[in-house]
Structures are given as structure tokens and as C-alpha cells.
Amino acid sequence: MRVKEFLAGILTGVAAGVVVNEAFNKLNEEVPADNVLKIVKEAFKEEGPIDGSWIVMKPEPYTNHVISMEVYRGGVSRMKDGRLEQYEFAADAKTGTVVELVRQ
């Protein structure tokens, strides 16, 4: 085997490793908490204005019987018929999908 062929093989392997690593990292990225809150607020705004909202920026473990995942916890408040309504939610940190919504 020549040195050029050997080096070409090594460089090809390194390039393939970098591509696979980047693809794996993209699959395992978390949706930013700000984006999740924005999506939830937009959904609530379809029914009317909101007064306040919050989200915890660090994901935490969540289990719903057999499903386990990392979630962001947050909340939204609004006035409806002169009364304050408060909701808390949990959203999947990888997809941003709301997996729990509870009226307080």
C-alpha cells in the first residue's frame, strides 16, 4: 500500500466520523426553552390575551407512567371572565411538544 492511499483512507475515515457525529448531535439537541414558551404562548393567544408567562430554562426529568423524558416546566396566566386563570405545563425538551397541561 502506498503512503498516498493510506493517507486518503485515513482522511476519508475522519471525514465520515465528523459527518456522523454532527448528524448524531443534531438528533439529540434540545429545543431552546425560549422557543417552547413562545409556541405555548401563541397557542394560548388564539383564545385571547395572556397576562404573564414563565419557563424554567433547565430541563428536568419527567415520568408519566411508562414514558420518561426531559421536560421544561412553565406556566401561563390570563384573565377570563374577570377571573385569573393559571396553567402549568411540561414540554418535551427535545421536540417542544407539550406533554402535560394543568389548570391551577
Side-chain angles (χ1 to χ4, degrees), residues 11-87:
L11 291 176
T12 301
V14 169
V18 168
V19 169
V20 169
N21 186 42
E22 289 295 318
F24 181 75
N25 287 341
K26 280 197 175 238
L27 289 174
N28 290 321
E29 283 184 5
E30 294 173 343
V31 175
D34 296 352
N35 292 358
V36 173
L37 184 58
K38 182 179 177 183
I39 292 166
V40 171
K41 286 169 51 176
E42 287 173 1
F44 270 87
K45 286 179 182 178
E46 288 180 10
E47 294 185 17
I50 62 172
D51 291 328
S53 62
W54 59 273
I55 194 163
V56 177
M57 302 300 276
K58 183 178 177 189
E60 63 183 57
Y62 172 81
T63 302
N64 186 359
H65 305 290
V66 295
I67 299 171
S68 296
M69 64 186 76
E70 292 285 310
V71 298
Y72 294 117
R73 294 260 180 205
V76 175
S77 61
R78 66 179 176 190
M79 295 297 288
K80 189 169 184 181
D81 299 327
R83 295 180 53 197
L84 180 65
E85 289 185 342
Q86 295 182 334
Y87 295 86

